Amino acid sequence: MFAQRVLFAFMTAAPLILIPSGGQAQVTDKPPVIDALEDQGVIFKQEFEAGKGVRAFAGVLGDSPVAVYVLADGNAVAGTRLNAKGEPIDQATLQSLVAKPISDQAWAQLESATWVLDGKADAPRIIYAFTDANCPYCHLFWEAARPWVDAGKVQLRHLLVGVIKEDSPAKAAAILGAADPSAALRENEVKFDQGGITPAKSVPDDVQRTLEDNQMLMLSMGFRGTPGIIVQDDKGFIQKYNGMPQQGALTEVLGPR
């Protein structure tokens, strides 16, 4: 398992293509340890300056930024570099080189996915939610968001999946196939305690593809169930909430009332 502070053995070198912030690729010698870590799932974005005798590489494991410092003997240390006061040195660099691009890419994937609008299209705060029509916690989140949505402060964008019950895909098809999907989604939530929207008689191929694509996107974002909620903070970084946010976290998700 990839650890925060581990020494890695020296291996065979290979070229590494790095993409600086200017966008032009450059080829450099890849330290063998970087090659080994790539085999373990680390994705390296760029080399950055870390002083004499050390080569520093900004990477990502899963969706977490990581810095790897390659020493003169070919071994490496992965983790947080500290100054003489015990303060982190490279956090801003990692945020710039790795965290922000990751957030931007994830947000673009969400924007381009198939989702159902809940609220006003010009509401300033956008929240994505992976939603199953049969999910009780998705329903609780829908109810909790009403004051923000009705006030025009928040728009929820529901990415429908069909994972909880046998008729979840058919209910999603009833919503996505409706003349007004937003109204159909609202019908499902208003009638949730009575069983929700009437399931479609069949699930068209295009809807099935949408549900599968949304489920794959949900998994790639690190969610294993619904609701999976994603919002941008004031610095443009995505924040993820797994499940129905607790009362104290609702204002983090939805913003001030």
Side-chain angles (χ1 to χ4, degrees):
M1 182 179 292
F2 185 79
Q4 279 283 303
R5 294 191 178 274
V6 183
L7 292 180
F8 297 89
F10 192 86
M11 298 176 64
T12 305
L16 174 65
I17 298 177
L18 300 173
I19 309 297
S21 56
Q24 184 176 0
Q26 65 184 49
V27 179
T28 186
D29 292 333
K30 182 197 296 184
V33 67
I34 296 299
D35 198 24
L37 290 175
E38 288 179 329
D39 289 341
Q40 297 179 36
V42 184
I43 299 172
F44 289 99
K45 299 293 185 180
Q46 187 173 335
E47 184 172 359
F48 63 94
E49 180 61 41
K52 284 188 176 182
V54 178
R55 292 179 67 183
F57 295 84
V60 58
L61 182 62
D63 59 0
S64 299
V66 61
V68 174
Y69 304 94
V70 182
L71 310 178
D73 62 3
N75 292 328
V77 176
T80 303
R81 191 166 64 121
L82 307 175
N83 63 19
K85 297 179 180 179
E87 302 165 335
I89 298 175
D90 299 318
Q91 295 306 303
T93 299
L94 282 178
Q95 292 288 306
S96 173
L97 296 182
V98 181
K100 190 60 167 66
I102 290 172
S103 286
D104 291 345
Q105 181 181 9
W107 197 254
Q109 287 180 289
L110 294 167
E111 287 182 322
S112 64
T114 299
W115 41 265
V116 178
L117 177 66
D118 174 16
K120 296 179 180 178
D122 60 353
R125 190 172 184 84
I126 297 170
I127 299 171
Y128 289 94
F130 292 99
T131 301
D132 187 298
N134 284 313
C135 172
Y137 297 105
C138 301
H139 176 64
L140 288 176
F141 180 60
W142 181 87
E143 285 188 321
R146 288 310 91 195
W148 285 265
V149 173
D150 293 344
K153 295 181 176 181
V154 164
Q155 54 171 296
L156 301 182
R157 295 179 174 182
H158 295 270
L159 297 111
L160 294 178
V161 295
V163 295
I164 289 184
K165 292 184 178 180
E166 187 176 350
D167 68 350
S168 289
K171 285 187 175 181
I175 295 169
L176 292 170
D180 185 344
S182 295
L185 185 141
R186 182 176 181 83
E187 176 187 349
N188 182 69
E189 301 303 331
V190 169
K191 296 179 178 179
F192 189 85
D193 292 337
Q194 291 76 48
I197 196 168
T198 301
K201 294 181 179 179
S202 63
V203 180
D205 289 344
D206 61 333
V207 172
Q208 185 62 41
R209 284 193 297 271
T210 293
L211 298 179
E212 292 173 357
D213 289 346
N214 284 351
Q215 185 174 353
M216 290 299 296
L217 182 58
M218 180 179 76
L219 294 173
S220 74
M221 295 285 174
F223 299 110
R224 295 296 179 267
T226 55
I229 300 165
I230 302 177
V231 64
Q232 279 183 322
D233 64 20
D234 55 4
K235 295 182 179 179
F237 293 99
I238 63 170
Q239 302 297 329
K240 300 178 183 179
Y241 298 83
N242 207 332
M244 171 64 191
Q246 298 301 308
Q247 191 63 37
L250 265 179
T251 53
E252 292 179 15
V253 176
L254 297 166
R257 294 189 63 167

